[in-house]
Amino acid sequence: MPSHPDVLVVRNNSQVNMGTFSLGAGGANPRRPVTAQVVVAFPGSADSTTHLLRLGETFPIGAENWYFAGAHFENAGRWRVTVRRLAPGEVPPVVDESTAVTGWRPAQLQPFGQLDEAQLQALEQALGRPLPSAYRQWLSQTNGMQPVEPQWVPGAPFTLFPGRPLLGVHPEHPAFDLLTAEREWRVGKLSTDFVVIAVPMEGLLLLRLVSPHPGTVGFLPKDLLAGPGTPDAIAWREQQIYRTAMGWSFGDFLGRLTPLDAPAT
C-alpha cells in the first residue's frame, strides 16, 4: 500500500479518500466508554468493512493495523474521530479517555416517567393545539427531564437546574408543569405559535409549533416579558426570541445541552 499519513481525522457524515482506500465514521458515542464506528472501503470494490471500536482498539486497512486514538465532540450531531497507523509489530498504546476525548459532554438528565396516549391527548386539548411529533414522542417517554447537575447550551444565556427542569405533566408540582407554564408565562405574552418547555431563571425556553421553522427551540429573556399583551407587543416580543444557538429541532437542542462546567468546544 503506498505511503500515506499516519494520522487521519474523519468528521461525521464525511469520508476521507486516500486513493487506495477510503475511511468514514458512521457514528460516535460520547458516553463512557466512548466508541466509534469506522467504515473502510476500497476503490473498485463493492465491499466495505465496519468496525465498532472502543478507544485504543485496532482495525485492519489492507495489510496495515490502525487504532482508534481519540474523538472531539462539538455537540451530539457534530464530531470528529482520530485514527492512527501502527508501525509493523508496534503494540497500540493505552489511550487515556480523559485526554483523548475532548469538547462537548452529554447532559445528565433524569426522566420523570412516562405519559400514555390519553394523557398526551388531554395535554394537547388543554393547550388547545397539537405538539410536534418529535417533542410529543419525547414527552411520552420521559414526562419531562430533570438535570442531575446544572446544564446549558454553550454560549446561550440560560442554565437548567434540578429545580428548573424541562417541563412535563406535573399538576402537583407547578414549577415542573407545562400547563402551569402556559398559564403563567405564555398567555398574554406570546401567541399560540409557541409552547413554554422550560422556565430557567433567565427567561423562557420555547418550542415553535408552526411555520416558519416548526420544531425549533428558542429563548426569550425574562426582562422582555414585561409590558402589554397587545398584538403589536406580542409580535415584537416574538421577534426577539433567540434561536441561533438553541437548536434547529428539539432533538438538536437536547444534543447541545451539556454540563455547565464542561470545557468549551
Side-chain angles (χ1 to χ4, degrees):
M1 184 175 291
S3 177
H4 46 250
D6 291 331
V7 180
L8 294 176
V9 177
V10 187
R11 285 192 170 274
N12 62 298
N13 301 321
S14 67
Q15 192 174 59
V16 175
N17 189 344
M18 301 304 298
T20 55
F21 70 90
S22 64
L23 199 66
N29 182 356
R31 299 188 183 279
R32 277 43 176 173
V34 173
T35 59
Q37 187 181 69
V38 175
V39 182
V40 182
F42 298 92
S45 171
D47 296 332
S48 64
T49 55
T50 300
H51 308 275
L52 182 61
L53 306 166
R54 290 189 179 188
L55 281 168
E57 289 185 334
T58 62
F59 63 99
I61 301 179
E64 299 175 345
N65 278 326
W66 293 66
Y67 70 97
F68 174 29
H72 178 81
F73 293 87
E74 296 178 32
N75 52 58
R78 289 179 60 85
W79 44 264
R80 59 183 183 267
V81 299
T82 300
V83 298
R84 295 180 179 269
R85 179 170 54 166
L86 293 167
E90 181 184 1
V91 176
V94 176
V95 179
D96 184 352
E97 190 170 64
S98 66
T99 57
V101 180
T102 58
W104 173 87
R105 298 202 318 262
Q108 300 298 310
L109 299 168
Q110 180 66 43
F112 285 112
Q114 296 181 328
L115 294 175
D116 59 29
E117 180 60 26
Q119 290 172 304
L120 288 167
Q121 290 183 12
L123 171 62
E124 290 179 318
Q125 184 174 8
L127 289 171
R129 52 209 192 274
L131 297 170
S133 58
Y135 178 67
R136 194 179 194 273
Q137 177 67 20
W138 176 82
L139 275 178
S140 75
Q141 297 170 348
T142 66
N143 193 19
M145 298 184 86
Q146 186 173 41
V148 175
E149 56 185 333
Q151 310 286 327
W152 73 324
V153 171
F158 75 89
T159 306
L160 295 176
F161 293 92
R164 301 275 182 162
L166 293 169
L167 304 174
V169 178
H170 305 284
E172 70 284 9
H173 296 296
F176 295 2
D177 186 50
L178 280 161
L179 290 177
T180 301
E182 167 82 358
R183 292 190 298 267
E184 293 186 358
W185 296 107
R186 202 281 305 165
V187 175
K189 300 176 179 69
L190 297 164
S191 73
T192 54
D193 291 354
F194 295 88
V195 65
V196 179
I197 61 172
V199 188
M201 292 179 65
E202 303 88 347
L204 305 179
L205 279 171
L206 302 160
L207 186 71
R208 188 175 181 89
L209 304 182
V210 299
S211 296
H213 315 301
T216 55
V217 176
F219 174 78
L220 184 66
K222 194 163 286 183
D223 59 3
L224 300 184
L225 292 169
T230 61
D232 286 347
I234 288 173
W236 176 87
R237 209 170 278 134
E238 293 181 358
Q239 290 172 0
Q240 314 311 309
I241 293 173
Y242 178 55
R243 288 190 297 268
T244 306
M246 302 302 107
W248 54 265
S249 69
F250 184 70
D252 183 50
F253 164 73
L254 292 176
R256 293 175 184 269
L257 280 173
T258 191
L260 186 62
D261 63 354
T265 57

